[in-house]
Amino acid sequence: PAVAGPLRERFVEARLHVDYERNMKRELEMTGSNSQPLFLVVDPVSEEVVGRHDGPSLISDVPFIEFLDQAWTRVKGSSDAP
């Protein structure tokens, strides 16, 4: 629940389900990794990856929320994103 607000308010979610071999290959090509979960934040204007978070945050939501905040700051600083 703590991450739902920032995700809903600032980001558009897209998923690549890697339960199919072709999607696993695509993820590896796109990111150089097949860790699960893997989160990328992509600038909507430049299409540049401005944030990456590999693996779960099991102990606390804080690291993931900080990742979202930092990526959002990079997007806002580098584009005309709303």
Side-chain angles (χ1 to χ4, degrees), residues 4-70:
L7 281 173
R8 184 177 50 251
E9 295 165 8
R10 299 178 179 172
F11 299 94
V12 175
E13 181 179 356
R15 294 180 185 213
L16 178 64
H17 294 275
V18 294
D19 48 349
Y20 298 106
E21 186 174 342
R22 71 174 188 252
N23 288 352
M24 281 190 264
K25 289 180 181 178
R26 174 107 171 118
E27 179 186 33
L28 190 58
E29 289 169 5
M30 290 172 60
T31 67
S33 174
N34 59 4
S35 70
Q36 295 297 311
L38 178 104
F39 300 91
L40 299 176
V41 175
V42 179
D43 184 302
V45 175
S46 70
E47 298 182 1
E48 174 188 356
V49 174
V50 295
R52 177 180 176 143
H53 184 83
D54 291 78
S57 297
L58 299 175
I59 297 172
S60 168
D61 291 332
V62 172
F64 191 72
I65 293 170
E66 288 174 348
F67 152 73
L68 292 173
D69 289 343
Q70 290 169 1

